[in-house]
Amino acid sequence: MPSTSIRETAYDPETRVLSVWFVASGKRYNYEAVPPETYAAFRRAFSKGRFFNAHIRDRFRYRLVPDKRAAR
């Protein structure tokens, strides 16, 4: 189901980094050490935003990924 708060996600199983792009800000954040099971459950969740808030936000270290377009 499409999300009103999360525009896109990507997951790298080798590094266990979950990338999340948000609709409102357009910003991308990388969440570190996310287990593959958590990402799989996130993908299956009916409400991506609710799952993100309950199981990912404030549970994993994260960093803002600078927007390369803004640096120009």
Side-chain angles (χ1 to χ4, degrees):
M1 166 166 213
S3 174
T4 58
S5 58
I6 296 172
R7 179 170 54 92
E8 183 180 347
T9 63
Y11 183 70
D12 183 340
E14 282 189 28
T15 62
R16 295 169 42 136
V17 170
L18 170 63
S19 298
V20 180
W21 288 261
F22 292 93
V23 171
S25 68
K27 294 181 180 181
R28 171 185 168 190
Y29 289 85
N30 282 350
Y31 293 82
E32 300 173 0
V34 176
E37 305 81 34
T38 301
Y39 179 62
F42 183 36
R43 295 266 327 218
R44 290 190 308 267
F46 179 76
S47 172
K48 304 292 189 259
R50 187 173 294 148
F51 184 93
F52 174 83
N53 287 332
H55 301 283
I56 297 170
R57 181 177 161 226
D58 299 329
R59 293 181 184 246
F60 297 96
R61 182 187 302 215
Y62 67 90
R63 67 178 179 84
L64 172 63
V65 178
D67 184 353
K68 292 177 184 166
R69 294 173 295 175
R72 293 182 191 166

